[in-house]
Amino acid sequence: MLVDGCLGCSVLAGKVQAPGGVIYEDNYWVLEHTLSPVLLPGYLIIKLKRHCEYLAELTSEEANALGRIIQTTCSALSQVVKPAKIHVCSWGEQVKHIYFHVIPRSSAMPVGNLELLIYLRIKKLLNQLGLGKWVSNTEAAEISQELK
C-alpha cells in the first residue's frame, strides 16, 4: 500500500524519478540513485516497496531481504565508484517511509560519522548558494547503469 503525500511512495508510484531509474529491485526493496539535485556520485537510496515507517514493523521476509540488498549494493558500489568507505544509515525523520542512505565516502571526504554528516550538510548548502557543484543527472544515471 502506498500513501499520498509520502515522498518515498511518490517515487515508488513513478511520480518522481531518480536519475537512471531503478537500479535493482526484489519483492520488498528498490535501489535507486538519490533524487535530483544529486549531492554525490553513487549516493544511493534503498527503500521499502510498501509504506512502512518503523523498522520494528518489517516482516521477517523484508528484514532478511534487506541484508542481501545492502551487501550486494555495497559490493557493486565498491567496484563502480571505488570509495574509501561506504556508509549505510537510516534517519527517517523527514520522509516517513523506511529507506536507507548508501553513502560512498571518497578519500577526500572526512572520516567519521559526525564529520561526514557535517561535510554533506555544508556541501549541500554551498551547492544551494551556487558555490559548489551538483552531480549532473547524466553522471548519476551513468553510475546507475554501471551498477545495474
Side-chain angles (χ1 to χ4, degrees), residues 88-103:
V88 179
C89 53
S90 178
W91 291 288
E93 295 292 331
Q94 289 182 316
V95 176
K96 304 291 185 194
H97 191 112
I98 293 177
Y99 65 98
F100 293 84
H101 299 259
V102 182
I103 307 168

Side-chain angles (χ1 to χ4, degrees), residues 4-59:
D4 285 337
C6 170
L7 177 59
C9 290
S10 292
V11 174
L12 290 167
K15 296 177 184 174
V16 181
Q17 292 192 341
V22 172
I23 296 169
Y24 173 83
E25 71 178 299
D26 61 21
N27 291 335
Y28 310 104
W29 300 94
V30 172
L31 173 68
E32 296 174 308
H33 211 289
T34 54
L35 298 176
S36 187
V38 176
L39 189 58
L40 295 173
Y43 189 146
L44 308 176
I45 299 292
I46 299 170
K47 71 179 127 314
L48 189 60
K49 288 175 82 170
R50 70 176 177 93
H51 184 81
C52 181
E53 296 181 25
Y54 305 101
L55 288 171
E57 295 175 354
L58 290 178
T59 66

